[in-house]
């Protein structure tokens, strides 16, 4: 009952006129970002983060989270109409969405995609409402060793359970740790990795790094590849929406299964992209119409969109309750909270109740507003793709430079943004993952501080990380996650040899 009361207080905060206006603006900006290939939720939030510095923290995070929801919705538009995934997790949507558009069913495909996205996100938000306070209360028992154990399991999960090669994940993470170590040592006060530059005494600002890595890096890559947009027209009217809604309840089992897959993938660091592919693959195997998948089957749109939105939303659960982001966008939002002086984690539910429950309430309303916006404005958003990318790219670059400069009003930050942009471009060309790098930049210094505090308290003994059942179990789970590929391969070999042994 306490959570329900707090949620109603959150709705009272969100329903203030200014916050509603911010929510709508965020949704519209997010859809535009989702429509433009090469950007995405994390990039959009990073680029537009400086615009929120003059807002109250609650309004600012509502706007940024709504940019995220809008980007999730917008990715389906280009996937269906142009066969160009606006987001990585929209790739699976193109398999059946674009064939439906080619058959003249673009309206039905988009309605199914938007509605499924809404259902997946709503399921994840309900889960966050019920579970996050419980996780936060449990986490209040954490000391330095337990905090490091949580960071450890996050890092290990990205290495052992992520979709990228472990070696590349470790390299990206090591780069992030090195960047997080620049500046003054928080415990000894010594300078580290400044190379004589006074501008680096305070370290690399998280926002500068993210704008460069995501914004500049993606734009450089997209400019190199070049994009020509040619798509199918789409008209969505009340009759199309109503007829599609009457058909969607037939796929309730697919939606429920996709919600569960998405929530699991979102809470773990796997993310929305593998969730959408996994959900699509399982739906194809289990559906009676599986042989028609890839030819314009509406169930092939429902499955990936539901899972992607459930995963994208559920990624905020560990960020809010434990301070550990579950996705690149959640990592960017975590950086935003730190900029405003808010420390995500269990104490946030105690010290900043209005903020937390206002954010959770905005998830409900933001997804509802997003569904209405995309259903009514699809032709308008699709028209954006008629603008030559040679015009769009310079505009985005200018916005990135303005955002980087406004952080400290320092031209050095703009130079570093371009340096990070080149680094991001090279990493993308070499297929190195960005999510572990962002995670290490955000959490590297905090993990180091918790590790060193725990060792100081134990007089240098590593046994402190297995000194009680709580920290020991978390560290054990981290080690299992780290070596999961070896464990799963060993189990598979034992299973394959078991019948021969029995014979």
């Amino acid at each position: 009952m306490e959570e329900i009361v707090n949620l109603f207080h959150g709705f009272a905060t969100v329903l203030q006129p200014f916050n509603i206006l911010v929510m709508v603006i965020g949704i519209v900006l997010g859809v535009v970002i989702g429509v433009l290939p090469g950007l995405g939720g994390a990039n959009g939030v990073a680029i537009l983060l400086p615009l929120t510095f003059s807002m109250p923290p609650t309004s600012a995070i509502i706007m940024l989270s709504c940019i995220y929801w809008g980007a999730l919705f917008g990715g389906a538009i280009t996937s269906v109409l142009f066969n160009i995934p606006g987001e990585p997790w929209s790739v699976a949507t193109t398999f059946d969405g674009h064939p439906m558009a080619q058959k003249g069913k673009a309206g039905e495909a988009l309605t199914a995609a938007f509605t499924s996205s809404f259902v997946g996100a709503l399921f994840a938000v309900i889960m966050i409402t019920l579970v996050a306070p419980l996780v936060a209360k449990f986490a209040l028992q954490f000391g330095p060793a337990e905090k490091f154990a949580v960071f450890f399991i996050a890092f290990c999960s990205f290495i052992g359970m992520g979709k990228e090669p472990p070696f590349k994940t470790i390299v990206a993470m090591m780069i992030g740790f090195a960047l997080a170590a620049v500046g003054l040592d928080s415990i000894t006060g010594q300078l580290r990795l400044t190379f004589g530059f006074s501008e680096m005494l305070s370290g690399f600002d998280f926002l500068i790094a993210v704008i460069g890595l995501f914004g500049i890096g993606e734009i450089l890559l997209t400019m190199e590849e070049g994009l020509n947009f040619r798509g199918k027209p789409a008209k969505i009217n009340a009759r199309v929406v109503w007829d599609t809604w009457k058909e969607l309840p037939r796929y309730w089992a697919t939606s429920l299964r996709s919600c569960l897959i998405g929530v699991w993938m979102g809470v773990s660091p796997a993310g929305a992209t593998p969730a959408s592919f996994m959900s699509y693959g399982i739906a194809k195997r289990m559906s009676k119409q599986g042989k028609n998948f890839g030819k314009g089957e509406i169930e092939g749109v429902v499955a990936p969109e539901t899972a992607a939105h459930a995963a994208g939303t559920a990624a905020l659960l560990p960020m809010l309750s434990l301070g550990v982001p579950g996705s690149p966008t959640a990592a960017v939002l975590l950086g935003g909270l730190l900029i405003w002086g808010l420390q995500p984690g269990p104490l946030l539910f105690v010290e900043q109740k209005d903020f937390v429950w206002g954010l959770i309430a905005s998830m409900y309303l933001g997804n509802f507003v997003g569904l209405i916006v995309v259903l009514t404005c699809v032709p308008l958003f699709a028209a954006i793709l008629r603008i030559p990318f040679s015009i769009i790219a310079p505009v985005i670059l200018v916005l990135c430079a303005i955002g980087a400069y406004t952080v400290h009003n320092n031209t050095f930050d703009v130079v570093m943004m371009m340096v990070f942009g080149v680094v991001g471009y090279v990493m993308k060309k070499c297929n190195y993952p960005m999510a572990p790098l962002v995670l290490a930049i955000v959490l590297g210094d905090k993990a180091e501080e918790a590790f060193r505090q725990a060792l100081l308290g134990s007089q240098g003994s590593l046994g402190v990380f297995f000194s009680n059942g709580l920290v020991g179990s978390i560290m054990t789970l981290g080690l299992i996650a780290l070596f999961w590929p070896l464990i799963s391969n060993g189990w598979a070999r034992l299973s394959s040899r078991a019948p021969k042994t029995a014979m």
Side-chain angles (χ1 to χ4, degrees):
M1 289 301 297
E2 181 181 356
E3 283 74 17
I4 295 177
V5 172
N6 290 331
L7 183 60
F8 277 110
H9 283 301
F11 277 110
T13 301
V14 175
L15 290 174
Q16 295 176 5
F18 179 72
N19 288 337
I20 293 177
L21 176 63
V22 163
M23 181 185 301
V24 175
I25 293 174
I27 290 291
V28 173
L29 290 175
V31 174
V32 172
I33 288 168
V35 165
L36 294 174
L39 287 180
N43 305 331
V45 173
I47 293 170
L48 298 176
L49 186 57
L51 300 180
T52 63
F53 287 171
S54 60
M55 298 181 184
T58 303
S59 301
I61 200 65
I62 287 175
M63 182 175 182
L64 294 176
S65 62
C66 285
I67 292 173
Y68 184 30
W69 313 142
L72 286 169
F73 279 113
I77 297 176
T78 53
S79 297
V80 172
L81 300 184
F82 298 87
N83 202 27
I84 300 174
E87 301 282 356
W89 54 77
S90 298
V91 173
T93 306
T94 63
F95 298 160
D96 283 274
H98 191 62
M100 287 184 68
Q102 291 178 320
K103 294 179 181 178
K105 297 182 179 180
E108 290 86 340
L110 288 172
T111 302
F114 297 150
T115 307
S116 300
S117 301
F118 173 78
V119 171
L122 181 63
F123 184 93
V125 173
I126 293 174
M127 188 272 301
I128 290 175
T129 305
L130 298 176
V131 176
L134 300 178
V135 175
K137 289 179 181 178
F138 176 71
L140 286 173
Q141 307 173 22
F142 287 17
E146 288 79 7
K147 289 180 180 178
F148 172 76
V150 171
F151 296 138
F152 179 75
I153 194 174
F155 298 139
C156 291
S157 297
F158 266 93
I159 296 170
M161 303 181 70
K163 62 182 185 299
E164 303 291 343
F167 173 77
K168 291 187 175 182
T169 301
I170 292 174
V171 170
M173 202 170 283
M174 292 301 105
I175 295 174
F177 287 143
L179 294 174
V182 174
L184 287 173
D185 186 334
S186 59
I187 294 180
T188 65
Q190 294 180 341
L191 293 177
R192 302 189 300 188
L193 303 176
T194 58
F195 301 103
F197 290 96
S198 59
E199 294 88 352
M200 298 171 63
L201 291 177
S202 58
F204 291 116
D205 192 283
F206 165 81
L207 184 58
I208 306 300
V210 170
I211 291 178
L213 291 169
F214 283 91
I216 304 298
E218 287 283 359
I219 291 301
L220 292 177
L221 193 64
T222 307
M223 289 173 64
E224 178 191 7
E225 294 173 350
L227 290 173
N228 294 316
F229 302 118
R230 293 178 183 176
K232 298 292 180 180
K235 293 183 179 180
I236 294 184
N237 52 44
R239 184 179 182 104
V240 171
V241 172
W242 181 247
D243 290 343
T244 306
W245 281 354
K246 287 193 295 185
E247 186 179 356
L248 289 179
R250 293 171 46 196
Y251 309 110
W252 66 269
T254 300
S255 295
L256 179 59
R257 182 175 61 246
S258 299
C259 285
L260 295 174
I261 292 172
V263 167
W264 169 249
M265 289 291 196
V267 172
S268 70
T273 303
S276 63
F277 279 100
M278 179 183 293
S279 182
Y280 182 87
I282 294 176
K284 184 177 181 178
R285 287 196 296 269
M286 300 186 67
S287 173
K288 296 179 180 179
Q289 305 296 326
K291 61 183 179 182
N292 294 328
F293 274 48
K295 301 177 182 178
E297 184 66 34
I298 193 171
E299 190 175 0
V301 176
V302 171
E305 284 293 314
T306 304
H309 276 240
T313 306
L316 298 180
L317 170 60
M319 189 269 283
L320 286 174
S321 57
L322 298 174
V324 177
S327 71
T329 308
V332 178
L333 290 175
L334 172 61
L337 294 180
L338 296 175
I339 289 173
W340 291 306
L342 299 170
Q343 177 62 56
L347 290 177
L348 197 65
F349 285 79
V350 177
E351 299 172 350
Q352 300 287 343
K353 279 188 177 182
D354 292 341
F355 168 79
V356 172
W357 290 103
L359 173 59
I360 294 176
S362 75
M363 295 180 187
Y364 287 96
L365 293 179
N367 280 289
F368 181 73
V369 171
L371 179 64
I372 295 175
V373 169
V374 292
L375 284 177
T376 54
C377 302
V378 163
L380 186 62
F381 289 121
I384 295 173
L385 296 176
R386 298 175 185 172
I387 303 174
F389 200 79
S390 58
I391 296 176
I392 295 176
V395 172
I396 296 174
L397 289 173
V398 170
L399 289 176
C400 290
I402 294 174
Y405 181 79
T406 54
V407 175
H408 299 121
N409 294 327
N410 190 348
T411 54
F412 180 78
D413 290 340
V414 179
V415 175
M416 291 310 304
M417 176 200 71
M418 296 303 300
V419 172
F420 279 116
V422 174
V423 172
Y425 168 78
V426 172
M427 291 185 67
K428 291 176 188 296
K429 290 289 290 183
C430 298
N431 294 320
Y432 280 82
M434 300 296 292
L437 175 61
V438 174
L439 182 74
I441 293 176
V442 175
L443 297 182
D445 57 341
K446 295 177 179 57
E448 179 194 4
E449 184 176 347
F451 179 78
R452 294 169 69 180
Q453 285 178 348
L455 289 182
L456 286 173
S458 65
Q459 297 182 346
S461 173
L462 292 174
V464 68
F465 299 111
F466 295 91
S467 58
N468 59 64
L470 177 59
V471 67
S473 60
I474 297 175
M475 290 292 292
T476 302
L477 289 175
L479 292 173
I480 292 174
L482 178 63
F483 296 107
W484 181 250
L486 299 177
I487 295 173
S488 58
N489 289 337
W491 180 261
R493 291 181 180 179
L494 289 175
S495 300
S496 62
R497 291 177 182 177
K500 296 180 182 179
T501 305
M503 292 174 64

